[in-house]
Amino acid sequence: MFDNYSFHSEEEKKSLSCEWYRSSSDPYLMDIYHQARSLCFQLNSTPPDDQTIRLQLLRKLLYYLGRETTIVGPFFCDVGQHTAIGTHCFINAYTTILDGAFVSIGDNVFIAPHVGIYTNTHPIEDVAMRNAGYEQSLPITIENDVWIGAGAIILAGVTIGKQSVIGAGSVVTHDVPAHSVVAGNPARIIRHIVHA
């Protein structure tokens, strides 16, 4: 989904290359964060029946938005231009996407309320580095036909395979194979989906 993406600054290149970076030191990243917050505020203040305005705002906010995709407000993302969402998706209220790295959401993905998709992480061992504002972002990929239950959290670097189901309240810390049902904290495979 991001094959033709061009970097806009050195720190953004680092963030999209899984390197340590400081967003606060980069004018482009700070500008795009402020723009994303403004667009999210406008989106969340627009009546749900005003679909034309909502669609215009979403197309300005996100890198890509497929047709017949619905995003119910309130909705929040950190950058927006690092998120691509496929066709015929339904994203329910209070979904939050922290997209320091690329977030790719495939087609026919259903996301329940209060889901968090977080690419960002901070230094664990090096407190001085953390306090100096360094972070690392790892991409998240959600493949086609996935259903993510209410209150689930998808953490940095995770790929969720096609046709998988994430149980409500799960914390997904590792890749999920295709055709799997996972649940828990940390999420574990509880069964495989067998198609007739």
Side-chain angles (χ1 to χ4, degrees):
M1 285 184 172
F2 295 97
D3 291 343
N4 298 318
Y5 191 90
S6 298
F7 301 122
H8 299 87
S9 71
E10 190 60 33
E11 291 302 299
E12 187 198 32
K13 183 177 181 180
K14 290 178 185 177
S15 79
L16 296 173
S17 303
C18 305
E19 298 177 27
W20 293 106
Y21 68 101
R22 290 179 67 229
S23 57
S24 61
S25 69
D26 185 89
Y28 171 76
L29 286 178
M30 296 312 296
D31 284 348
I32 201 166
Y33 289 156
H34 292 307
Q35 178 182 317
R37 281 161 177 73
S38 177
L39 288 168
C40 286
F41 178 82
Q42 294 174 60
L43 176 69
N44 295 330
S45 302
T46 302
D49 56 351
D50 200 340
Q51 289 301 311
T52 301
I53 299 296
R54 292 182 65 79
L55 189 58
Q56 289 173 354
L57 290 167
L58 284 166
R59 291 202 186 283
K60 284 178 71 173
L61 176 64
L62 302 173
Y63 182 76
Y64 178 80
L65 179 69
R67 58 184 173 77
E68 298 179 16
T69 284
T70 298
I71 298 178
V72 178
F75 171 79
F76 179 81
C77 63
D78 226 7
V79 175
Q81 290 301 305
H82 297 167
T83 294
I85 302 174
T87 63
H88 196 252
C89 296
F90 186 87
I91 298 177
N92 217 322
Y94 297 99
T95 293
T96 297
I97 301 175
L98 301 186
D99 53 344
F102 290 135
V103 174
S104 301
I105 298 175
D107 301 331
N108 304 301
V109 172
F110 295 172
I111 297 179
H114 293 280
V115 167
I117 299 171
Y118 307 140
T119 68
N120 302 49
T121 184
H122 298 279
I124 294 173
E125 305 291 341
D126 192 333
V127 176
M129 192 175 171
R130 183 169 69 231
N131 290 343
Y134 282 92
E135 57 190 312
Q136 183 184 41
S137 298
L138 305 174
I140 291 174
T141 300
I142 300 169
E143 295 182 352
N144 296 344
D145 306 304
V146 167
W147 173 23
I148 300 176
I153 296 173
I154 315 301
L155 293 181
V158 164
T159 294
I160 299 175
K162 65 182 180 179
Q163 299 181 2
S164 290
V165 176
I166 310 301
S170 298
V171 178
V172 183
T173 60
H174 294 91
D175 290 353
V176 175
H179 314 290
S180 299
V181 178
V182 303
N185 180 7
R188 293 181 174 85
I189 297 173
I190 57 174
R191 70 183 178 94
H192 296 284
I193 299 169
V194 179
H195 297 279

